[in-house]
Amino acid sequence: MSILIDKNTRVMVQGLGRDGSFHAEQMKEYGTNIVAGVHPGKGGSSIHGFPVFNTAEDAARETDPECSVIFVPAPFAADAILAGANAGVKLVVAVTEGIPVLDMSKIVIELNELGTCLAGPNCPGLISPDKSKVGIMPGGIFKRGSVGVISRSGTLTYEVVNQLSLAGYGQSTAIGMGGDPVVGMKYNDYLELFEEDRETELVVIVGEIGGTDEQDAASFVKDRISKPVVGYVVGRSAPPGKRMGHAGAIISGADSTVEAKVAFLREKDIPVADTVEQIIDLVGDRLGGRN
Amino acid sequence: MKLEEFQAKKLFREYGIPVPDGIMVTTAEEARSAAEKIECPVVVKAQVQAGGRGKAGGVKLVKTPAEAYMAADSILGMDIKSFRVERLLVDPAVSIAGEYYVGITIDRRKKLPVMMASASGGVDIEKVAAETPEKIFFQEINPERGLRSFEAKQLAFQLFTDKRKALATASVMMKLWDCFHGIDASLVEINPLAKLEDGSIIALDAKIVLDDNAMFKHPVMEEMRLPTPSEQKELDARSHGLSYVQLDGDIGCMVNGAGLAMATMDVIKHLGGTPANFLDIGGSSSPEKVIHAMELLVSDSNVKAVFINVFGGITRCDDVASGLVAALREIQTDIPLVVRMTGTNEEEGIRILSDFGITALKDMTEGAREAIRLAGEGGCS
């Protein structure tokens, strides 16, 4: 098992420009079941062996996708997410970076009404190793196993996953939930799914400065999650008020510092690593031998 | 992007929010003539993108144009929370009968805009929120529908029992939402919203933070940008696709991805070093980008060693390596360099670097430790 995506998940790719086309090919090579692409004006053609449609609605009618991944440029991405959701997919993964926050706030209401889950925006996507990859992660570093990974970042997820894999701890599903102030699913939504997933034995949550998502996750873990959870939070050197690359990574108050987050996680009995190496130690302590 | 008070008040005025008829000036002489035009008394206010101006001596009430000159002369050039004062706002002084707070920001947890209002205005609202949270009233706003009249009244009557003042405040709240929505702000704030002795309601201060992601919708706002020298460096970096924040340490960092960049800075700190900057070279890695990134790092005279940490994903190690070699051919520098490279096309990247005489490491902690060692050596020589 894994969460949200597996080898049968039917995936549609929206936005087949340079990045979208490249990653569609990469996903397909990884084994993702891509059934359609969407790109206005390219309808009727095919690329990397799947058909391309002008609109999400056309693609959905012909190919019945369950999941859509968005590579559409920022000014049009919020609309593309809605197009995917209204076409009936149950999960939208928005890789696009730079979508206005207020636009996201507007569309999450509609996504809730439609019952569509959203990962991202500004995220690397998700991967269930050896089964399916929906996003832009380098597939080679992932290894199938029992650790769930939820992160707000992209390359830091790779760093963590790489070291987990090298130490013998494979992953059930790894998720980058996105670096923007308003994202679809958050730690709690994924934690709930990992709790239900039989393959997942432990969850690593990778956080950063800004907001209070990590605290929300810690309270949720304490109340609702029986599986062990290990935390890691970055951004100790970040000055207040500065945006550290991610639009969400701004120290905006006492609660959003690394120190506050780490203290809160520990208060809720979640062990927190200071470095990536320590994550491996903490995971090892809880899972025992290598898996 | 943060606006200064005079810019925010200009936008407020455009949206019909009552603000004093002040004048922005950049010299003491201009402050004097502004004071003559407005009629004294006036308030001379430092324009910086930081709070606590009053406490820092950046706000002065004066009774004559000559005093306005003196006040302006003393405030201009002042350093307030590391912002140098280059502009002043000369506002007419008013008789304040009460100070209130109204603001709108995005609540990340609810994923919605929320309006906050309090009768405890004129002070640090975060302090009010921490010490007496019951004194702040909240109204979630459905961004598609906007703030509705009854919602604004619900909030306004928490601040005023008097109908006339409550309705005037509700009207300001509606206009404040129009402003927030119209310019894609991440924060709009009136602190204080003042009740004057004649019973009128007016915004005596104004704070606006714009959403950088939404600037493409509002190109005219870009012209309002008033960068400080360090921000100018960050802006130049952004125009090259780099995300840069200068800090005060001695190890220059170049990393792909914001999260990994923060983790890299943390590990340097954890091992006893100090990062000189945050620098995310982003997803793609053209040689030009790497050249600009190297130029940025070596232009900081505090930098004694550079640590380049790349985890290839979309970013390919061979691209970064080629860019780095091109950069080092172009930029002559004695600053020692540590490269850590792993992920997509790492063998090719490591080979390109080793042909150029650079040994790339595969482990981040090892790289950080080496950079700290080299920075320390530089300090002793």
Side-chain angles (χ1 to χ4, degrees), chain A residues 187-200:
Chain A
Y187 293 115
N188 298 5
D189 304 297
Y190 297 111
L191 280 164
E192 201 167 7
L193 296 171
F194 277 130
E195 175 75 5
E196 298 297 314
D197 176 45
R198 259 190 263 158
E199 189 175 334
T200 305

Side-chain angles (χ1 to χ4, degrees), chain B residues 16-38:
Chain B
I17 298 167
V19 292
D21 288 319
I23 299 170
M24 193 276 284
V25 301
T26 56
T27 67
E29 194 46 55
E30 283 174 12
R32 185 210 306 267
S33 50
E36 277 164 3
K37 202 184 272 174
I38 292 169

Side-chain angles (χ1 to χ4, degrees), chain A residues 155-231:
Chain A
T155 48
L156 181 56
T157 315
Y158 312 159
E159 183 75 48
V160 171
V161 161
N162 189 46
Q163 297 208 23
L164 283 169
S165 294
L166 290 174
Y169 301 108
Q171 305 86 42
S172 50
T173 301
I175 297 135
M177 66 184 220
D180 280 0
V182 171
V183 295
M185 287 183 282
K186 299 211 192 188
Y187 293 115
N188 298 5
D189 304 297
Y190 297 111
L191 280 164
E192 201 167 7
L193 296 171
F194 277 130
E195 175 75 5
E196 298 297 314
D197 176 45
R198 259 190 263 158
E199 189 175 334
T200 305
E201 291 176 41
L202 177 150
V203 182
V204 175
I205 60 177
V206 180
E208 61 188 35
I209 52 160
T212 51
D213 291 341
E214 291 78 4
Q215 285 92 325
D216 293 348
S219 299
F220 189 78
V221 168
K222 179 90 180 167
D223 296 341
R224 304 273 300 274
I225 304 297
S226 65
K227 294 178 182 178
V229 174
V230 167

